[in-house]
Amino acid sequence: MTLLSQLLQTKGQEVYAVAPETTVYEALAVMADKNIGAVLVLDKGRVAGIFSERDYARRVVLQGKASRDTAVAEVMTAEVVYARPSLSVEKCLALMTEKRFRHVPVLDDEDQLLGIVSIGDVVKAMLAKQQIIINHLEDYIHQ
Ligand code: AMP
């Protein structure tokens, strides 16, 4: 069983975040520059929301808003679902599938931000684990 704490050790704990007053345009520039699909919105170190490409499509473009005149705070999701580092990657994938989102911040017991995992990170970790099991089984069969 791989835990999110182990995944973060491999992936790194860097979190790309913006302040609530950042414009949507600036947030999109960060996402493009870092090649990511969502940014966390931090207000004085506290998680205030999450803004993803889906929010841009549905809450900005389709609503006829201008990205340079709209703050991320207006269009982010404020109720952020997070996970603890002790959660397994399998359970994290189940959570993402059930809630239909692809990003989950990881917070410790004191609600300190430890990192963020995407569905891509989770699937990658699960595939790596399965490959190790397959290799072991192949070695066993060929003995
Ligand atoms: P995503 O699939 O991550 O692009 O996100 C789809 C929708 O869910 C968007 O409205 C996001 O703002 C929202 N979202 C993404 N991650 C989370 C999360 N961890 N908690 C709550 N909402 C989220």
Side-chain angles (χ1 to χ4, degrees), residues 11 16 25 28-29 32 34 39 42 45-46 55 77 88 91-92 97 104 107 117 142:
K11 183 211 153 172
Y16 298 113
Y25 186 89
L28 289 173
K34 304 299 179 192
V39 279
L42 293 184
R46 190 185 60 84
D55 300 321
T77 300
S88 69
K91 286 201 172 144
C92 187
T97 307
V104 174
L107 270 59
V117 294
H142 293 132

Side-chain angles (χ1 to χ4, degrees), residues 2 11 22-24 29 39 55 62 70 78 81 90 95 104 109 114 116 119 142:
T2 307
K11 183 211 153 172
T22 308
T23 66
V24 165
V39 279
D55 300 321
L62 285 178
T70 306
V81 177
E90 289 82 2
L95 177 74
V104 174
D109 290 340
L114 298 178
I116 186 163
I119 201 161
H142 293 132

Side-chain angles (χ1 to χ4, degrees), residues 50 52 54-55 59 77 79-81 101-105:
I50 189 162
S52 87
R54 191 169 296 180
D55 300 321
R59 298 178 187 160
T77 300
E79 292 223 350
V80 179
V81 177
F101 50 58
R102 293 163 289 184
H103 302 87
V104 174

Side-chain angles (χ1 to χ4, degrees), residues 24 53-67 70 75:
V24 165
E53 291 164 340
R54 191 169 296 180
D55 300 321
Y56 175 62
R58 297 180 184 181
R59 298 178 187 160
V60 180
V61 179
L62 285 178
Q63 302 298 321
K65 293 186 191 235
S67 61
T70 306
V75 288

